């Protein structure tokens, strides 16, 4: 019995349905791509692009008071950049998808002003919660130590 085009289409659709998980986003790769975009924006001083990586209701928890909203977040990171912080690098160590949320954590590193004008490397841990919003992932909570 020869295959008809309808049969081929059904077999193709069934194959795609069974392999759907293979096409799903890899949470760690998705989180690292978002982290790389953040690093690039900060390191090039493109604070407008950096701000777009955050959701409209995002909160950044700093050592001082938490910040929310694009203008506050942009001012904070613009100030850090103006103080000489550079070479920012985020490394994702863990990422878990929870529906439309992506929980990511890892290590951060940046160079900045040290004692006597020397450059110093700063580093620590960070956590981001990203939310799938329209055309991509936006950070809605960002903190580090």
């Amino acid at each position: 019995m020869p295959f008809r085009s309808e049969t081929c289409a059904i077999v193709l659709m069934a194959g795609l349905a069974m392999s759907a998980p293979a096409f799903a986003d890899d949470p760690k790769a998705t989180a690292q791509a978002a982290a790389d975009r953040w690093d690039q924006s900060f390191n090039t001083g493109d604070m407008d692009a950096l701000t777009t990586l955050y959701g409209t209701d995002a909160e950044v928890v700093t050592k001082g008071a938490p910040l929310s909203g694009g203008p506050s977040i942009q001012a904070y990171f613009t100030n850090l950049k103006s103080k000489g912080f550079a070479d920012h690098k985020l490394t994702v160590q863990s990422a878990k998808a929870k529906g439309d949320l992506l929980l990511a954590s890892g290590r951060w590193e940046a160079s900045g002003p040290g004692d006597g004008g020397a450059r110093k490397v700063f580093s620590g841990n960070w956590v981001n919660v990203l939310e799938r919003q329209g055309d991509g992932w936006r950070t809605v909570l960002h903190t580090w130590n």
Side-chain angles (χ1 to χ4, degrees):
M1 168 166 144
F3 276 115
R4 295 187 349 209
S5 61
E6 294 89 4
T7 305
C8 289
I10 291 170
V11 169
L12 177 62
M13 295 300 281
L16 289 174
M18 287 188 285
S19 64
F23 294 112
D25 289 339
D26 171 24
K28 191 171 181 183
T30 300
Q32 189 62 61
D36 292 345
R37 284 189 298 277
W38 198 99
D39 285 336
Q40 180 181 15
S41 298
F42 182 81
N43 290 331
T44 62
D46 189 348
M47 297 305 161
D48 289 333
L50 186 136
T51 304
T52 67
L53 301 176
Y54 290 89
T56 57
D57 58 349
E59 188 167 322
V60 174
V61 181
T62 69
K63 185 176 178 181
L67 310 166
S68 39
S72 296
I73 293 169
Q74 185 173 29
Y76 179 82
F77 289 114
T78 297
N79 185 45
L80 277 182
K81 187 73 174 163
S82 73
K83 289 180 179 179
F85 286 91
D87 307 316
H88 197 278
K89 177 68 179 150
L90 293 166
T91 303
V92 174
Q93 293 177 325
S94 174
K96 296 176 186 162
K98 302 276 186 180
D100 283 339
L101 296 178
L102 180 60
L103 313 173
S105 64
R107 299 284 298 166
W108 67 270
E109 182 177 293
S111 65
D115 295 334
R119 299 294 292 166
K120 179 178 176 182
V121 174
F122 298 86
S123 64
N125 299 302
W126 64 269
V127 175
N128 273 12
V129 176
L130 297 98
E131 182 178 42
R132 191 184 321 260
Q133 295 182 357
D135 62 345
W137 293 94
R138 301 284 183 269
T139 298
V140 294
L141 179 63
H142 177 179
T143 191
W144 62 94
N145 63 16

